[in-house]
Amino acid sequence: MIQLGQILFILSVLVILHEFGHYITARMFKVKVEKFYLFIDAGFSLLKKKIGDTEWGIGWLPIGGYVKLAGMVDESMDMEQMKQEPQPWEFRSKPAWQRLIIMLGGIIVNVLLAWFLYTVVYTTYGQKYVSTDKIQENGLSFGETGLNAGFKNGDKILAVDGAYQPRFNRMVLDALLGDNIEIERNGEKKTIVLSDENKAQILAKEGRDFVGARNLISQVVIDSVAPVKNKPSVFMAGDKLQMLNNKSFVYFDELTDELKNHKGKTVPVTVLRKDAPVTVSLTIDKDGEVGFGENIFLAPSADMAASSVDEVVPGSEADKAKLQEKDIILGFNNRVYESYFDFTSQLKLSADKDVTLNILRGTQRMNLPAHVGKNGKLGFRLKSNNQPSYEIVNKLSVAQAFPEAVKESWQLLIYNVKQFKLILRPKTEAYKHVKSPVGIARALPDTWNWEFIWNFTALFSIGLAFMNLLPIPGLDGGHALFTIAEMITGKTLSEKAMGHVQTAGMIILLTLMVLTFGKDIYQLVADKLL
């Protein structure tokens, strides 16, 4: 429900302000606005009230919104009005330059909204990103699709299409959208060219997670074990991997690479189990895997005494318990836990129950009454003081934040163009990953976080601006294109031709919506049934 609430809130903010852009520019030029609707009122509306000449309402279908301008062929397809003599208050009676401004009003507001939100976020929460330099100090770790594309664990990415990207998340996106990736491998520079087939495989299986930081093997613990084909695992939850075939490793990916040298063989694996080394016999399959990620789930290992609370999710059970950043959690119900794994494992057993958190705040020991959520979580993020931090946080003044907000919005617009070009390349199969609001909602966090919401709203606002700029009939860009053509040639489409064009555009848009909504709804139902 929280995910649904978040997407409805974000869509409502974006739709209302986008349509307000059309409304306010129309009123500036004295065009009569007949309707202003949040969401679509196909057949009926949830709420409506007429104020002056305008009917204000909320539709039942949350896929957008609209303003209906007198004397304009739009989504309403009201052709009867167009058969009458033009009136001074109608859209069609206004000069082309005024009509162009009205058409672009929503897009302009979307861009201004992004500028405003990013300025607020940068001054309030700070400009945050993961540093490319920091995260790849010891090289990078790649998933199966990255390795298949030609990368090797330990590689460092120097540039994509000749450009260096200091933000790691953007660097990963650049790699997926670019072609030539310059890397450093064992001190030598090499170039990897990602084919459309490589990109299709990455997008289908791992997405942006195809590359990440290298984990020290000492920082990884087996979080849980699920049997495969009713065969019990040789591992136990809480095991820490130590050696394979009597060979020790520094990084976890070195161990997984070594597995491929023993395909189809049974080898000894040493784990640390309850602080004691235990050696088990492990059979490696023909692909050089033992089910990591399939029947064995890994999690970061952290020493509770050397870790502190890095973030408390607003509105979460931890927030209600008044847990604070920099608090050191010792345990709960007067039991001390040395490892984060042990703490979270026991916390899951107390799901939907009241507990007493035992914490250290500064030098003072405190007990905080708390209620564990039904998912066995409290809603906080822990930071190990022994593990490296890759995040950069720059808290900016308004004078610094505004130009950065403008720069960020421009970069996001460029990324939208690049992603659209990727979608148009069939071999990448990127079109399969286009999401409707249903799919987007499922990807949102299950806790309410204002910092995330405002960042996502700004990101979505630029995406909405780009989408509406596309020269597709039925979108603002389509209307603007015809208006610009009129300004250049001095000729206008007939009302009949405009009606046909609008109909074609609506068919295209509705078809795309049916496909994306249908795909996401099918996936939602399938996930519930499986």
Side-chain angles (χ1 to χ4, degrees), residues 320-336:
K320 294 174 185 176
K322 302 192 183 308
L323 190 67
Q324 298 179 9
E325 291 183 17
K326 299 183 179 180
D327 284 349
I328 294 175
I329 299 176
L330 304 174
F332 67 94
N333 292 346
N334 295 318
R335 180 176 175 181
V336 174

Side-chain angles (χ1 to χ4, degrees), residues 145-152 155 183 185 192 194 198:
T145 57
L147 296 173
N148 290 340
F151 293 100
K152 288 188 176 181
D155 286 351
I183 65 166
R185 179 179 297 164
I192 292 178
L194 282 186
N198 290 144

Side-chain angles (χ1 to χ4, degrees), residues 123-135:
T123 55
T124 305
Y125 302 102
Q127 188 183 45
K128 300 178 181 180
Y129 63 92
V130 174
S131 167
T132 300
D133 285 342
K134 288 188 175 184
I135 203 170

